[in-house]
Amino acid sequence: MLPPLSADDRATAPTGRLRAAWRAAHEPAPNVSRRLRLIAYAVPLAVLPSSLWRIPSAFDDGIGFGERLYVPSLSIASELLASTAIGLVARWGEVFPRWIPYLGGREVPSWAAVVPAAVGATVLTLVFTVLFIVTEIRGTTIRGDELPADFPGEAGGWEAAWFSLCYAPLVLWGPLMVVLTVAYHRRRRGTDRPAATG
């Protein structure tokens, strides 16, 4: 039987496990520069302001239960998706974590990361960078319709400024993912080729 934990041990045990999990999730892959790690960490931070901006609208009067559930779910999904950028610079992006059944400890095929990252980076760049800039210049929605009168960016004053400040960083999401995807591909190039026999 194990001896009971002291008060100090009880206070630090969960913190120690959390710290160990954090380190494992952020352990850099070999040959990843500090600059690339900072770019990867910048992606979830660029998405965070818009995710936080949406949350209060879930508590507005006159919206249904489904919308109340949708708004925070969208924010959580956005942050989780943005956090996958860290996999392009972390060890778990090159070797499957041991807790994954059948795959744990095996090398991640480079195409399994590059293809979805490239598709995602392209879509994000198109939607949040190109279309965002075009619609801002034209003053329309993405579909080309006129902006509704209650659109947050049209409110004027602090509300419009706050909206712009929270959504402007999304312009960086796609281009940062492009940089990370290209760097990952270059670093992993040739890892999927079979060894030469002879």
Side-chain angles (χ1 to χ4, degrees):
M1 182 172 172
L2 294 173
L5 293 175
S6 69
D8 290 337
D9 290 338
R10 282 194 300 271
T12 59
T15 306
R17 278 187 243 139
L18 182 61
R19 189 174 293 133
W22 177 267
R23 283 189 189 134
H26 293 85
E27 178 188 351
N31 303 318
V32 173
S33 69
R34 184 173 188 274
R35 183 177 299 158
L36 281 175
R37 289 197 314 266
L38 291 175
I39 290 171
Y41 299 148
V43 173
L45 292 176
V47 177
L48 185 61
S50 61
S51 296
L52 293 175
W53 182 88
R54 280 190 294 269
I55 298 294
S57 65
F59 301 101
D60 286 349
D61 292 332
I63 66 169
F65 176 75
E67 197 169 356
R68 283 188 201 278
L69 191 59
Y70 168 75
V71 171
S73 298
L74 178 61
S75 292
I76 292 167
S78 297
E79 281 305 311
L80 290 174
L81 190 61
S83 295
T84 62
I86 296 168
L88 296 172
V89 299
R91 183 86 177 120
W92 60 265
E94 295 187 6
V95 177
F96 288 108
R98 294 228 174 259
W99 55 266
I100 297 178
Y102 307 110
L103 296 175
R106 294 184 184 184
E107 189 173 280
V108 175
S110 62
W111 62 265
V114 170
V115 171
V119 170
T122 303
V123 170
L124 292 167
T125 301
L126 178 64
V127 172
F128 291 121
T129 307
V130 176
L131 288 178
F132 178 79
I133 292 170
V134 169
T135 57
E136 282 297 306
I137 291 169
R138 292 179 56 207
T140 62
T141 65
I142 290 176
R143 290 181 290 184
D145 302 331
E146 285 190 33
L147 291 175
D150 62 348
F151 187 74
E154 298 294 297
W158 69 269
E159 189 176 346
W162 182 242
F163 171 77
S164 297
L165 186 67
C166 289
Y167 271 81
L170 286 179
V171 172
L172 301 173
W173 192 0
L176 292 177
M177 286 299 294
V178 169
V179 170
L180 293 169
T181 303
V182 169
Y184 181 93
H185 176 66
R186 286 182 179 164
R187 190 173 70 251
R188 299 285 317 277
R189 193 177 337 176
T191 60
D192 291 339
R193 294 185 191 141
T197 57

